[in-house]
């Protein structure tokens, strides 16, 4: 009690709660995505090493198998390796766009919870909110640019309903 008035300790609890929310809705998802994408990259690399083109010396009658049995179609192997590379690139683009769209807003939110005075009508805050909203729409655009099959599927989906 100060000067015959009650003083709330809610400000401290608000700072702790707000900081915890910032960590839970930004740091944890970033860490999980980073871990998952690194693991996916490692597995794609391992898979690419397993699928790689068969050595020319091993695909002959000397090994007991005919060339037709051991030779892998070069086009199929190349196509699979290209698909894996494209998948990995697409995942990283999605990850980077998440960082770009969410980081400004989460930094502002964390600063607010640590005592910074936030003006809700300032351009930087409004831009950060717009960037978060844009992140909801950016993934289909990324897929459309990266995958021809996705573009074809969307075209069929929208042309069937027109």
């Amino acid at each position: 009690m100060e000067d015959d008035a009650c003083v709330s300790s809610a400000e401290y609890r608000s700072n702790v709660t707000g900081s915890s929310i910032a960590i839970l809705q930004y740091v944890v998802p970033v860490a999980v995505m980073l871990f998952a994408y690194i693991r996916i990259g490692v597995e794609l690399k391992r898979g690419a090493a397993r699928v790689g083109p068969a050595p020319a010396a091993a695909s002959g009658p000397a090994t007991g198998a005919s060339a037709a049995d051991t030779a892998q179609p070069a086009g199929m192997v190349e196509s699979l390796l290209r698909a894996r590379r494209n998948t990995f690139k697409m995942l990283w683009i999605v990850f980077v766009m998440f960082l770009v769209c969410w980081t400004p807003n989460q930094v502002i939110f964390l600063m607010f919870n640590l005592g910074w005075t936030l003006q809700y009508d300032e351009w930087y805050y409004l831009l950060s909110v717009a960037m978060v909203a844009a992140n909801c729409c950016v993934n289909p655009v990324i897929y459309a640019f990266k995958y021809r099959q996705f573009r074809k599927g969307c075209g069929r989906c929208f042309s069937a309903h027109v």
Side-chain angles (χ1 to χ4, degrees):
M1 221 148 119
E2 292 178 13
D3 299 328
D4 295 328
C6 292
V7 177
S8 174
S9 64
E11 184 177 339
Y12 172 76
R13 286 192 310 269
S14 175
N15 292 349
V16 171
T17 303
S19 300
S20 300
I21 289 171
I23 290 169
L24 287 174
Q25 74 180 17
Y26 180 72
V27 175
V28 171
V30 166
V32 168
M33 281 190 286
L34 188 59
F35 174 77
Y37 292 167
I38 288 171
R39 291 290 305 150
I40 289 169
V42 167
E43 290 302 318
L44 288 175
K45 190 171 184 172
R46 282 185 189 158
R50 283 191 301 262
V51 173
S59 63
T63 61
S66 71
D69 292 339
T70 58
Q72 297 174 350
M76 184 177 82
V77 171
E78 197 173 298
S79 176
L80 182 59
L81 293 175
R82 186 173 47 252
R84 288 179 174 180
R85 270 193 313 273
N86 288 343
T87 299
F88 185 69
K89 285 178 187 177
M90 192 266 315
L91 290 175
W92 276 108
I93 292 169
V94 167
F95 178 68
V96 168
M97 287 308 299
F98 178 85
L99 289 176
V100 166
C101 291
W102 276 87
T103 299
N105 185 266
Q106 290 302 303
V107 168
I108 291 169
F109 182 67
L110 184 60
M111 289 171 53
F112 169 74
N113 283 296
L114 295 176
W116 182 58
T117 302
L118 175 61
Q119 300 297 321
Y120 296 103
D121 60 348
E122 289 288 339
W123 69 269
Y124 55 85
Y125 176 74
L126 297 173
L127 178 62
S128 75
V129 172
M131 289 171 66
V132 167
N135 187 244
C136 297
C137 306
V138 75
N139 289 349
V141 174
I142 293 169
Y143 299 146
F145 278 114
K146 292 299 288 178
Y147 291 116
R148 183 176 53 240
Q149 296 90 344
F150 185 84
R151 289 191 299 267
K152 286 181 181 178
C154 284
R156 279 190 299 247
C157 203
F158 290 121
S159 67
H161 298 291
V162 176

